[in-house]
Amino acid sequence: MDYYCNFVSPPSQSVILVAKKLDIKLNLRKMNIYDPVEMDTLSKLNPHHILPMLVDNGTVVFEPCAIVLYLVETYATNDALYPKDALVRCVVNQRLFFDVGTLFKQIYENVHVQMRNSQPSEKQVQRLQKAADVLERFLTERSYAAADQLTVADICLLVTVNALNLWLGYELAPYPRIRDWLGRVVAELPGCAEFQAEPVVFLARHLGLEFNHIVTSIYDPADFEALKKVNPQHTIPTLVDNGHILWESYAILIYLAEKYALDDSLYPKDACERSIVHQRLFFDSGMFQNTTLQAVLAHLRNNPITDEHLAKVKRGVEIVEMYLTDSPYVAGQKLTIADFSIFVSFCSLDMMKYDLTAYPNVQRWFAKMGTHIPDLEPTRKTIEEELRALLQSMNK
């Protein structure tokens, strides 16, 4: 089954996630419609010359929602993802058309304007906000977008909302139901989390732990199959330690510190000290890491970074500068796991040559962190190469 796509496109991603949910193996064919050779190949199969496109034993299907519905109706073992009940199915269809004709359309309009180094008009911003408001209202009625269980509508909307966050840095704090829904949907789908392994690598180096670092791309079928065998959520990073399996980077940080550190300084037992470490970790996971990651991804893709997004980066850096005003480390007088987590976010900024001149406390701390991590520069170089390779694999 050949799937011609451009992975940067959210509609292309929705098909891949549905296929993974159905345990369908796709032969991913990265396409560039601006390449004459590839365009000629595409035109022989698809008179509209559009992506994505599926070729399944001679059947050619294009338009992402059509592909999604084809896969489900042809290969699903039951009707849960696309219910046969007419009333439920009509709601699923409505959500799919809302995604294509309203939410994704408004995201695309805002992104297209910013790609021309302009700012969206007030009407464009308002239309996007209205679309997000509508999705929030949908989720007041039930736990999922269209039914009481996961459907194809959730999967298609998931990649659109991810684009809202990744492409525009859109603030989802005013939308608690969308945020809760995201967590539910991601938990049911393979392939929704990456780029979170670096803090674990750096802490392991600091603790002098020998580990077998297996570079994994969830977009590579062989890698994905190997990951599925150890992690039911199929997320990265995943740690396997003498048969004990653990995922989520912050959980791994805590586990390593509690099991292998010589004392409790990296993860204090004192409730007050530990609460500060937790606060710093949640600051990084809930705001700073994602903001810096979006910035470095845009940088690596040679895409412009909006003034609004740079303002979010600046605010995060200012907060860390404040943390370090009277302390050598982000959570107090001692090095903790929070330092390793936030250090990775600053490595992302360093990768894009972000100017830290105005932040002397951050500069001092960043330099000092280098003394705590053996072989830092070779490790960082390797990680950057892996990140670039991952970006390439996402586009296959």
Side-chain angles (χ1 to χ4, degrees), residues 164-213:
L164 183 67
N165 189 21
L166 185 61
W167 290 4
L168 294 173
Y170 201 82
E171 180 57 66
L172 292 178
Y175 302 101
R177 291 180 176 85
I178 291 177
R179 288 187 283 112
D180 290 344
W181 164 81
L182 280 172
R184 282 192 293 275
V185 176
V186 168
E188 293 193 46
L189 291 174
C192 292
E194 294 238 6
F195 308 117
Q196 296 180 345
E198 289 179 71
V200 174
V201 174
F202 290 151
L203 178 61
R205 297 275 190 205
H206 175 75
L207 292 172
L209 299 177
E210 293 291 334
F211 64 97
N212 181 21
H213 185 194

Side-chain angles (χ1 to χ4, degrees), residues 362-383:
V362 170
Q363 286 185 306
R364 167 190 50 76
W365 165 82
F366 189 78
K368 190 174 183 63
M369 284 301 297
T371 67
H372 293 295
I373 305 169
D375 301 320
L376 174 62
E377 289 310 314
T379 303
R380 285 188 60 189
K381 183 178 179 181
T382 299
I383 289 172

